Each structure stands twice: as C-alpha cells, then as structure tokens.
Amino acid sequence: MEYILYEVKGQYAIITINREKALNALNSQVLDELNETLDNVDLNEIRALIITGAGEKSFVAGADIGEMSTLTKAEGEAFGKKGNDVFRKLETFPIPVIAAVNGFALGGGCELSMSCDIRIASENAVFGQPEVGLGITPGFGGTQRLARLIGAGMAKQMIYTARNIKADEALRVGLVNALYPMEELLPAAEKMASGIAKNAPIAVRNCKKAINDGLDAANMDDALVIEEKLFGDCFETEDQKYGMAFFLDKNKEKVKEAFKNK
Ligand code: DAK
C-alpha cells in the first residue's frame, strides 16, 4: 500500500494515514486503501484499533481538494459515497477504534475522527468543517456526526461559520476526550488500546454495538431492548464464566488454571 501503514502490536493495531506531503489529505486511493486495510484486520487477534496521521502537523487535512476540484455532480456523489462507506465501516467496525488526532483534522479529517469511537488529540490539533468556504457541504457525515457529538447548536456554528477550533476548545465542547503533548499522544492511545484489549472481547464488542445501535433507535424502550439482547448474548461465553468465577472464587490461581486453555 502506498498511503496506509498497518502495524500490529500484540492485540491492537495502528493504522497510519501516510501521505504527509499533502498533510494526509484523503484522495480516492487513500480511501480505497483504508477500506482494504479494514477488510484485512484479523478480528480473531486484534481487539482495538488506533488511527493516526503521519508526521507531527496533520491528522488529516480533509478530502483532497485537488481531486475534488474537477468532479462532476455524479463523480462528486460517487466520491461522497466512497468516503461515507469506509467511514461507516469504521463506525460500525466490531472492535473499538481510537483516533489519535495529531494536528489538523479538517473537513474529511474531522469527519474521519468522528467515525471513530474515541478521540484524543495533541495540543496542536485543530478541528473544523471548512466546506462551506469551498462551496460544498460536509460530505463524509459531518452534518450528522458533529451534531450528535457536540450538540446541534455548536455543530451549526462550526459548520455555518467554517471557523476552525483549537484543541482546547475541542476539549471544552466535547469533541475530544483528552489532550496530550505530541510526544505523549501515541503512547496514550496505545495504553488505552491495550487496556481495552485486556477486557473481555465479546463484552467490549457488544458494548460498542449496544451504544451505537441504541443511539440510532427510535426511543429508549427500543434502545433498552437492544441492550438486553446484547447483555444476554454475553452469557455462557468463556469470558463471562471466567470473569465471574474469578471474582467469586477465593482461589484465583485455581480459576486461572481451569480456564488456561479456553
Ligand atoms: N487537499 C489537498 N492537498 C492539501 C490539502 C487538502 N485538503 N490540505 C493541504 N494540502 C496540501 C497543500 O496543497 C500543500 O501541498 P504543496 O503545495 O506543498 O504541494 C501541502 O498539503 C501543505 O499544505 P500548506 O502549504 O497549505 O500548509 P500550511 O501549513 O500553510 O496550511 C492548512 C495548512 C491545513 C491550514 C492548509 O493546508 C489548508 O487549509 N488545507 C485545506 C484544509 C481544508 O479546507 N480541508 C477541508 C477540505 S474539504 C463530499 C465529500 C467529501 C467532502 C465534502 C463533500 N461529497 C462528495 C458530498 C469533504 C470535504 C473536505 O474535506
């Protein structure tokens, strides 16, 4: 692959958008390679993903403006669909995805980060949806995900004004969970990913699905039915049997031994 690096680190993996000369802007090839990378993640081994950008200046500075500048209406729609499909794949990916936002996250870059489960950022990060300044709407889910994440009022302000916000404001409005000096960002993401990977994998996956599907449900009653089903689904798994036996049994070593090869 030309623009995507994929590094497995035990039970988690790091995807790096590697197009530093163009501030990791998303052209069709980057989107295709990201899609293929996700298809090839070994879900029997990998329990969490991190997505970041190459270098120390930019996570992703948006969709590739050069490529978009000559698109026809039909091609624009196809490009939007390509991005939407891969971002939705990420959003509904069975395992948690952490965006380690290391600089500019503009347009499609902000949208990419919002398709991830968790966003943490470097102190030099800048977020924004500058599309209306370019004569277009956000096209990779920005109008929908930003409003859901930070509320309609602040999302509308960001999108209508096309004003970028700095990391501290992104933290204040809840667009990111935490800020780190650049050199501490990836280690923090890795610590979080390995912490997630230590927990019961079926339960973690079911939590992601319950939260996502519940947020899309028509009402709280439907949402709670989704949770009930995914809660029930955890029972009779080795993870559930082990987790509860380990808590209840005074002889922890015996429990570890009994479940060693399961
Ligand atoms: N696309 C292509 N190239 C980009 C780029 C981008 N988005 N952002 C930066 N680059 C390239 C620059 O052209 C430059 O290339 P060279 O001139 O060196 O060849 C190189 O990266 C370094 O950038 P700068 O020289 O501009 O660096 P500065 O530090 O001066 O400025 C910047 C950094 C991030 C403030 C600036 O590069 C910038 O404003 N970039 C554009 C940011 C932006 O507007 N991004 C949003 C793009 S719009 C849709 C589908 C998708 C979308 C919408 C609709 N449908 C089909 C419905 C998505 C839209 C977007 O994402």
Side-chain angles (χ1 to χ4, degrees):
M1 293 212 181
E2 191 177 351
Y3 294 134
I4 299 285
L5 303 175
Y6 182 69
E7 187 184 2
V8 172
K9 291 201 147 182
Q11 289 182 310
Y12 63 90
I14 305 175
I15 294 175
T16 305
I17 315 272
N18 185 31
R19 198 184 168 217
E20 202 176 336
K21 278 190 185 150
L23 303 185
N24 304 318
L26 303 171
N27 62 14
S28 302
Q29 190 180 338
V30 175
L31 292 171
D32 284 339
E33 290 185 8
L34 181 57
N35 190 40
E36 198 182 325
T37 303
L38 292 175
D39 286 343
N40 288 327
V41 172
D42 181 356
L43 289 168
N44 293 317
E45 293 297 327
I46 301 301
R47 296 180 178 192
L49 283 179
I50 296 168
I51 296 201
T52 194
E56 298 201 337
K57 185 170 172 182
S58 180
F59 173 67
V60 167
D64 190 298
I65 299 173
E67 181 174 335
M68 282 193 299
S69 63
T70 56
L71 296 184
T72 60
K73 277 184 199 290
E75 287 166 344
E77 204 177 312
F79 185 64
K81 179 163 168 44
K82 192 189 276 283
N84 271 332
D85 286 352
V86 63
F87 286 17
R88 185 73 180 137
K89 185 177 280 188
L90 202 54
E91 185 170 46
T92 58
F93 210 60
I95 56 176
V97 185
I98 301 163
V101 180
N102 56 320
F104 291 112
L106 303 178
C110 186
E111 291 166 310
L112 175 64
S113 79
M114 291 192 291
S115 305
C116 300
D117 295 280
I118 295 165
R119 283 151 297 288
I120 59 175
S122 55
E123 290 166 346
N124 70 338
V126 176
F127 291 81
Q129 296 288 163
E131 286 85 350
V132 293
L134 295 165
I136 53 175
T137 66
F140 293 152
T143 56
Q144 304 309 306
R145 293 193 181 98
L146 192 59
R148 283 167 172 74
L149 266 173
I150 65 173
M154 187 54 81
K156 286 176 175 175
Q157 181 177 321
M158 277 180 69
I159 291 171
Y160 299 167
T161 63
R163 186 179 68 82
N164 294 341
I165 60 172
K166 291 186 177 160
D168 54 349
E169 192 173 354
L171 181 66
R172 187 175 61 74
V173 300
L175 187 49
V176 297
N177 293 0
L179 300 180
Y180 298 90
M182 179 64 80
E183 65 280 8
E184 292 173 24
L185 176 65
L186 203 54
E190 292 193 55
K191 190 172 171 202
M192 192 186 290
S194 66
I196 291 169
K198 285 194 185 85
N199 288 324
I202 295 170
V204 171
R205 286 180 185 214
N206 284 10
C207 287
K208 173 165 178 170
K209 193 164 169 46
I211 294 169
N212 280 358
D213 292 359
L215 285 171
D216 286 344
N219 55 53
M220 184 58 89
D221 291 321
D222 290 355
L224 289 173
V225 170
I226 291 169
E227 187 186 76
E228 279 159 28
K229 287 201 184 331
L230 288 157
F231 172 73
D233 187 50
C234 294
F235 286 82
E236 299 179 49
T237 63
E238 292 303 322
D239 283 347
Q240 177 261 329
K241 288 184 201 162
Y242 174 73
M244 294 191 179
F246 192 80
F247 178 79
L248 292 172
D249 204 313
K250 297 276 176 273
N251 188 343
K252 308 294 181 203
E253 286 312 311
K254 188 189 88 189
V255 180
K256 275 191 200 165
E257 191 56 31
F259 281 86
K260 202 168 63 184
N261 296 318
K262 293 191 174 163

